[in-house]
Amino acid sequence: MTPPSVLIVGSGIIGAGFAYAAAQRYLPTRVISSLPVNSGGTATANSWAWINANTDNDRSYFDLRHASMQLWQRWMQIVPDLVASSSGGFVWDMDPETLRAFAACHEEWGYPVELLSADAIAAKLPCLCDVPALAAYVPTEMAIEPGDAVSALLAAGAIEPEQRHVHSLMIDQDRVYGVMTDDGPCTADEIILASGNGTPALLESVGAAIQMTPTTGLLVKTQPLPKFLPHLLTAPDYHVRQTCTGQLLIGGTFNHHQTPDAGQSQQDAATELAARVECALHCPASLEVASFSLGQRVIPKGGRPRIGRIQRSDGREIAGLYLAVMHSGISNAAAVADHGIAEIVTGAPSPLLTPFRPGSGAIHESGSRTG
Ligand SMILES: Cc1cc2nc3c(=O)[nH]c(=O)nc-3n(C[C@H](O)[C@H](O)[C@H](O)COP(=O)(O)OP(=O)(O)OC[C@H]3O[C@@H](n4cnc5c(N)ncnc54)[C@H](O)[C@@H]3O)c2cc1C
């Protein structure tokens, strides 16, 4: 059987993941994106990039994220330059009872979560000024530098993204067969929409819809410091990790919409966030804000990923079109791409992805805590 050619719209982490998974199966693959790789206009470039399966899960979402964590580990062994920049996640942004319930439930599901008391936390995190009484620690959680990861996956698949804006999808009866770009039409057997918040406009062109509820997240980058923080920390009023260049990458709470308070400038909000972390940690030098970003999360209505074939408003399924739109895309990308490409090639549904179909009713009204 001739392998299907795929055309991926989007070169964020989801597009790059699909491109790599397609290349692993020797599919003729193109990636088209209106923005360059690691452009500040994408969610990927503005991500805290914590790879985890931590809290806010039902069983099916946990299984997807946990499988993805394991696949990321495998990819890091075989993809040149794909590396974790921090490892081991500490979380104490909930009350002790909730933390214990989370740990008990996730441990039963196979998550390697440890509950640590103050002494054990202090021993692992000598940089903490105020040590919490209890924290959950997951040694297998990690972070990547998302721009570097996208570049590594595309390079491993020998794929050079083409920078073009896609205006619409091209459809003949119920089969999508291409996209219309600035430079004219491009055709393929399968079009994969890894187009983040640009997806609703593209679906509209074929009479289909997805509702998105994007929110904004502020992240602050400091000037580089000597390495002192190898782990990821999620405290009640900040989350922080140190990047591979030594910069601290700091976010606020995980409540959605981390925009500056009314009347506060973005610069002031960024300075305030850095000051909060400076009070919380013994840093090797004082913190200077180098830059900050306000990223738009890609959140389908209901909070859960939407992956797979989509139907038109009249209920007819569209062939040749595969959707992959989600928050927590850094955590999910590996498993979603690997199983998604397998579904496209074999036609057999993946049980891991089945709960997340576009139009599926079994979606919980919650987001996850990844950034
Ligand atoms: C502040 C913040 C913190 C986060 N923290 C975490 C975290 O800790 N862990 C985690 O797992 N997730 C986190 N996320 C979520 C994660 O970053 C996103 O889910 C993920 O990056 C989405 O990737 P994507 O490739 O789908 O979208 P994007 O990165 O937005 O990429 C979309 C791509 O589609 C292209 N595109 C769109 N429309 C068109 C068009 N019409 N024509 C051509 N190209 C088009 C764009 O050019 C771009 O290349 C965070 C997000 C934010 C904003």
Side-chain angles (χ1 to χ4, degrees), residues 58-65 67 307 322 335-336 338-340 342-343 346-357 360:
D58 52 31
R59 184 62 203 252
S60 55
Y61 196 36
F62 170 80
D63 287 344
L64 174 66
R65 296 165 80 198
I307 306 157
Y322 196 92
V336 167
D338 189 59
H339 286 251
E343 286 193 328
T346 64
S350 157
L352 207 56
L353 303 185
T354 302
F356 305 105
R357 298 301 183 211
S360 153

Side-chain angles (χ1 to χ4, degrees), residues 43-341:
T44 299
N46 296 315
S47 183
W48 198 53
W50 172 28
I51 295 179
N52 74 95
N54 206 307
T55 67
D56 291 333
N57 287 309
D58 52 31
R59 184 62 203 252
S60 55
Y61 196 36
F62 170 80
D63 287 344
L64 174 66
R65 296 165 80 198
H66 197 210
S68 202
M69 287 173 73
Q70 289 162 345
L71 192 53
W72 270 118
Q73 297 274 16
R74 271 221 300 288
W75 281 8
M76 283 175 191
Q77 287 163 9
I78 54 177
V79 174
D81 301 325
L82 183 64
V83 288
S85 52
S86 318
S87 60
F90 287 81
V91 166
W92 67 95
D93 66 337
M94 51 190 117
D95 63 71
E97 202 181 320
T98 313
L99 207 52
R100 282 200 183 89
F102 148 69
C105 164
H106 282 62
E107 200 179 2
E108 201 180 306
W109 289 347
Y111 205 44
V113 53
E114 300 164 27
L115 276 181
L116 302 183
S117 60
D119 287 351
I121 300 166
K124 283 188 187 290
L125 291 174
C127 63
L128 265 190
C129 298
D130 286 325
V131 178
L134 193 70
Y137 172 60
V138 183
T140 54
E141 291 178 1
M142 58 189 158
I144 50 174
E145 300 315 330
D148 296 347
V150 166
S151 300
L153 290 170
L154 292 173
I159 287 155
E160 195 69 54
E162 301 161 49
Q163 198 181 336
R164 301 172 188 197
H165 183 71
V166 175
H167 296 287
S168 57
L169 304 174
M170 293 156 65
I171 191 163
D172 181 17
Q173 298 189 1
D174 288 334
R175 168 166 282 277
V176 166
Y177 64 94
V179 298
M180 183 56 72
T181 76
D182 287 340
D183 294 337
C186 303
T187 58
D189 297 321
E190 286 284 345
I191 309 298
I192 299 171
L193 291 186
S195 39
N197 285 322
T199 307
L202 294 174
L203 287 179
E204 213 179 297
S205 66
V206 290
I210 181 172
Q211 285 187 49
M212 304 293 292
T213 52
T215 59
T216 307
L218 171 68
L219 284 182
V220 176
K221 245 185 198 172
T222 68
Q223 295 291 355
L225 300 169
K227 291 282 178 74
F228 75 107
L229 181 61
H231 304 301
L232 298 104
L233 311 186
T234 300
D237 58 349
Y238 67 87
H239 49 284
V240 62
R241 67 177 179 88
Q242 192 165 23
T243 69
C244 55
T245 55
Q247 296 173 286
L248 293 188
L249 188 61
I250 306 169
T253 67
F254 280 103
N255 296 332
H256 288 317
H257 268 316
Q258 296 145 349
T259 43
D261 295 337
Q264 192 183 31
S265 73
Q266 292 174 0
Q267 179 70 54
D268 287 350
T271 307
E272 198 268 325
L273 199 48
R276 212 182 287 170
V277 169
E278 191 153 29
C279 288
L281 303 184
H282 301 292
C283 299
S286 67
L287 299 190
E288 282 175 55
V289 174
S291 63
F292 61 87
S293 60
L294 279 174
Q296 272 228 316
R297 300 185 185 89
V298 177
I299 308 183
K301 185 164 187 266
R304 292 298 193 243
R306 299 291 175 150
I307 306 157
R309 304 280 176 210
I310 191 156
Q311 296 173 344
R312 294 218 273 220
S313 42
D314 60 10
R316 297 205 313 273
E317 187 172 283
I318 302 173
L321 184 66
Y322 196 92
L323 192 71
V325 182
M326 71 208 72
H327 185 54
S328 298
I330 306 285
S331 300
N332 301 337
V336 167
D338 189 59
H339 286 251
I341 287 292

